[in-house]
Amino acid sequence: MGIATFVGDRPHSWDFPLFLHVLGAMTLVGGVVLTLFFLVGAWRGNADAIRLALRSIGLAVLPGYIVMRGAAEWIYSKEGWDKVDPSPNWLGIGYGVADFGILLIGIAALVAWLARRQGGTGIAVRIAALVIGFVLVMDVVAIWAMTTKPV
Amino acid sequence: MYHFLLFVHVLTAFCMAATIVIYSAFALGAPATDRTTFIAERLWDVGGLGTLVFGVWLSIYVDGIEIWNAWVIIALVLWFVAFGLQRQAYVAMNASGSPTGTTLLTPDRAGLSRFNALRALVFVLLLADMIFKPWA
């Protein structure tokens, strides 16, 4: 069931990379929520909110992603998953969400940046907001996969 | 059942973290309306209640974890400290009174920065306690 891992059978050497992984993920998800806030604000007519959305991607989403992704590699190696073939599904979901998610965040940032250059709050902002909203849904799926660990 | 409890417990912790990130943006000067503050506050309420209820539930449900374990007691103390700091951050956030609609709030930024930074620190300690489980 995985309870033993939760209770404390996990070697202490895994704790710090796991801590960094979760802390990075929380910063990332918080940044995604904040970015969505600002993009919805831009969608509703506040053009200056696009600048804040781009800033929240730069100051919260990207640093959180780097810490989360780097620590994921660290704990992946420590737990010995690189020697397991095939990898379990929950790992695949995690990697998929992380790698596809950062691509979508990059696309949303590019679209928002272009919208800002045009000074508008039109369709481009809506696309960026929808993409970031989708990333947030993916993040919830990743949290589900990381905690429930489906085979 | 265990996995469901753990999932909701962790998901609600992410809600608390999101509130801290949002408040950090406000503390750094991002404009805040009463609507965005309201949503951030509700995320904190849902997160706080969820982590507490499902965390205590887990401690009862899972063999090997007891509510009187040192790391669980530390977590409960930190949780209450975080909620006290949230109250202070909320007061600083709404220092201008209670505007309606999309009126911009004019928070006490010094107070907001101080209490939100302290809350973030306590939250990180809470996360560390959950993972390192001292004296487990």
Side-chain angles (χ1 to χ4, degrees), chain B residues 9 12 14 35 45 55 82 84 89 91 96-97 101 105 121 124 126-127:
Chain B
H9 179 62
T12 50
F14 271 78
R35 184 180 292 122
D45 292 342
V91 169
S96 64
L105 300 180
L121 176 65
V124 171
L126 191 50
L127 176 62

Side-chain angles (χ1 to χ4, degrees), chain A residues 1-3 6-7 10 12 15-16 18-19 22-23 25-26 29-31 33-34 37-38 44 52 140 143-144 147-148, chain B residues 2-3 6-7 10 13-14 17-18 21-22 25 30-31 35-36 39 62-65 123-124 127-128 131-133:
Chain A
M1 241 175 114
I3 291 178
F6 180 73
V7 175
R10 179 179 63 232
H12 282 302
D15 287 348
F16 187 61
L18 179 62
F19 169 72
V22 178
L23 186 62
M26 285 181 160
V29 173
V33 172
L34 182 63
F37 258 137
F38 289 134
R44 295 165 72 98
L52 297 166
V140 173
I143 294 167
W144 168 79
T147 50
T148 62
Chain B
Y2 163 76
H3 286 132
L6 184 60
F7 167 60
V10 173
F14 271 78
V21 172
I22 292 165
R35 184 180 292 122
T36 53
I39 295 171
V62 178
D63 290 338
I65 301 179
F123 186 79
V124 171
L127 176 62
I131 290 175
F132 290 92
K133 295 182 176 54

